[in-house]
């Protein structure tokens, strides 16, 4: 549980669930240090299709030291965005996760795609598209394996300065997903002007999902509209067997959440991908959980 507050404070709950306050400056200094001393790493959370195949992984940044571990990206990413550190940080995550994907592909285990989160500050840079394409090229990755995740709030910023980069990347084959969908105020109609191929239903709706819950109606409406706009539907925050059942009934295409798999270190992700590929639907595998 973490929230970035106004007034330069970053607030988070510590292990005893007491609120701890660190100044944004403290977080910023820690991030700057971590970036210059390579004390950051990328974890990968598996995303499965409705027959339990590993379709995609989402790259999620992690701090190596205890302070940034405890702070977490939900708190330090907003600080990075305000300070401008998100530019080198975001580029680092993109490059590192592409490097990792290339390694996995060379090992013959990555038939899945890569999703990377991108902030508004990155997307409005005139050189953004070029940087992404160069990074893909550096690691000899086809653009079609990359999904860039943008939040609704990102797109509410300044549409016009982003559209150019998005179109350029989309023409090259890069895919775009709307992250945390349903929490902002954008309409899917407006989003349909953009080259988007997927929506990720925010986990706040999934969290409240049970039979007859109001969020069933919300998810159903999102799925319905997304279908008409030819968008792939990803459910995030899948935490229980009931979530899976209801989301599948509603017609979601892809599933991500602690019930199916936590964000993992590269080594642990490889292990999991291997186990998932071997598991029959009778074992306690994502395939079984999704059947
Ligand atoms: P997000 O992009 O929506 O990523 C999903 C977040 O939900 C991750 O939190 C993930 O660990 C968490 N999550 C996944 N499944 C479940 C579940 O079943 N239950 C619950 N309660 N949570 C689940 P994380 O890694 O702490 O990241 C938080 C946010 O920080 C991300 O939300 C994203 O907005 C941002 N972020 C993380 N890495 C990056 C990055 O490299 N660049 C940018 N710009 N933002 C990042
Ligand atoms: Mg995301
Ligand atoms: Mg999300
Ligand atoms: Mg979210």
């Amino acid at each position: 549980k973490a929230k970035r507050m106004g007034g330069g404070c970053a607030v988070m709950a510590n292990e005893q669930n007491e609120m701890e306050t660190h100044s944004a400056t403290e977080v910023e200094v820690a991030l700057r240090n971590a970036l210059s001393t390579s004390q950051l790493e990328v974890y990968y959370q598996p995303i499965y299709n409705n027959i339990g195949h590993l379709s995609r992984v989402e790259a999620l940044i992690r701090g190596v030291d205890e302070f940034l571990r405890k702070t977490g990206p939900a708190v330090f990413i907003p600080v990075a965005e305000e300070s401008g550190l998100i530019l080198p940080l975001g580029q680092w995550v993109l490059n590192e996760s592409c490097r990792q994907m290339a390694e996995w592909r060379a090992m013959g285990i990555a038939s899945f795609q890569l999703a990377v989160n991108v902030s508004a500050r990155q997307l409005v840079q005139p050189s953004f598209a070029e940087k992404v394409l160069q990074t893909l090229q550096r690691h000899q990755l086809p653009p079609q394996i990359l999904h860039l995740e943008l939040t609704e709030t990102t797109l509410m910023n300044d549409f016009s300065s982003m559209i150019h980069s998005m179109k350029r990347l989309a023409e090259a084959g890069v895919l775009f997903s709307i992250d945390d969908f349903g929490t902002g105020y954008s309409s899917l109609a407006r989003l349909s002007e953009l080259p988007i191929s997927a929506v990720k239903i925010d986990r706040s709706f999934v969290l409240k999902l049970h039979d007859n819950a109001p969020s069933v109606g919300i998810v159903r409406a999102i799925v319905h509209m997304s279908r008409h706009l030819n968008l792939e539907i990803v459910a995030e925050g899948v935490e229980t067997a009931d979530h899976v059942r209801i989301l599948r009934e509603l017609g979601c295409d892809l599933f991500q959440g602690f019930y199916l798999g936590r964000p993992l270190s590269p080594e642990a992700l490889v292990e999991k991908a291997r186990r998932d590929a071997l598991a029959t639907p009778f074992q306690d595998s994502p395939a079984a959980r999704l059947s």
Side-chain angles (χ1 to χ4, degrees):
K1 295 267 140 44
K3 197 171 169 54
R4 172 98 169 91
M5 309 260 289
C9 285
V11 179
M12 71 204 88
N14 66 17
E15 275 155 53
Q16 291 78 45
N17 221 24
E18 292 157 343
M19 290 317 248
E20 258 178 42
T21 307
H22 297 278
S23 69
T25 322
E26 202 179 344
V27 174
E28 191 189 322
V29 166
L31 267 181
R32 206 176 286 281
N33 272 330
L35 198 56
S36 62
T37 59
S38 309
Q39 294 295 294
L40 293 168
E41 51 193 0
V42 181
Y43 269 40
Y44 299 88
Q45 187 172 27
I47 304 176
Y48 297 94
N49 69 9
N50 65 5
I51 56 166
H53 288 151
L54 180 57
S55 301
R56 201 171 294 166
V57 297
E58 179 174 3
L60 295 160
I61 193 168
R62 294 290 180 266
V64 173
D65 75 15
E66 209 204 324
F67 176 73
L68 285 180
R69 281 227 160 247
K70 277 175 75 182
T71 311
V75 169
F76 69 65
I77 289 291
V79 173
E81 283 170 343
E82 262 174 55
S83 63
L85 270 179
I86 194 67
L87 296 182
L89 194 141
Q91 179 56 39
W92 181 81
V93 171
L94 179 69
N95 187 64
E96 172 55 23
S97 55
C98 285
R99 187 203 61 72
Q100 184 63 73
M101 278 297 282
E103 191 183 310
W104 283 336
R105 285 164 66 89
M107 288 164 66
I109 52 165
S111 52
F112 47 81
Q113 300 176 313
L114 171 70
V116 178
N117 294 286
V118 168
S119 295
R121 294 275 295 255
Q122 293 175 267
L123 195 56
V124 298
Q125 292 177 98
S127 60
F128 181 72
E130 227 33 65
K131 280 185 179 148
V132 172
L133 295 175
Q134 274 169 15
T135 307
L136 286 165
Q137 218 166 37
R138 182 179 310 133
H139 301 287
Q140 296 181 313
L141 292 173
Q144 293 78 7
I145 64 125
L146 182 64
H147 274 259
L148 297 179
E149 296 194 0
L150 316 171
T151 64
E152 277 187 275
T153 8
T154 292
L155 292 170
M156 277 153 56
N157 271 327
D158 179 10
F159 229 69
S160 57
S161 58
M162 300 178 180
I163 187 96
H164 179 74
S165 289
M166 288 182 74
K167 285 198 167 141
R168 168 120 173 68
L169 286 167
E171 274 157 24
V174 172
L175 301 150
F176 288 93
S177 308
I178 303 297
D179 206 349
D180 304 343
F181 187 78
T183 56
Y185 297 94
S186 54
S187 70
L188 274 175
R190 177 133 189 266
L191 293 180
S192 70
E193 296 163 27
L194 297 169
I196 286 158
S197 60
V199 293
K200 299 187 77 174
I201 299 172
D202 189 65
R203 71 166 188 266
S204 60
F205 300 113
V206 176
L207 190 75
K208 289 180 270 180
L209 212 53
H210 55 81
D211 297 296
N212 307 317
S215 56
V216 170
I218 297 171
V219 174
R220 181 176 288 122
I222 295 175
V223 170
H224 186 79
M225 284 189 290
S226 305
R227 279 275 164 270
H228 281 284
L229 294 166
N230 230 337
L231 299 170
E232 184 181 53
I233 304 138
V234 188
E236 61 177 12
V238 176
E239 292 189 356
T240 67
D242 270 350
H243 290 164
V244 168
R245 177 180 54 78
I246 297 169
L247 290 163
R248 289 186 88 221
E249 281 168 10
L250 290 171
C252 292
D253 302 303
L254 296 172
F255 306 82
Q256 174 181 12
F258 293 168
Y259 180 69
L260 300 168
R262 299 214 162 227
L264 299 167
S265 69
E267 300 71 33
L269 192 274
V270 167
E271 277 278 294
K272 179 140 176 73
R274 289 210 165 110
R275 263 183 287 124
D276 290 349
L278 291 174
T280 74
F282 301 106
Q283 289 167 301
D284 187 34
S285 65
R289 288 171 174 222
L290 283 158
S291 66

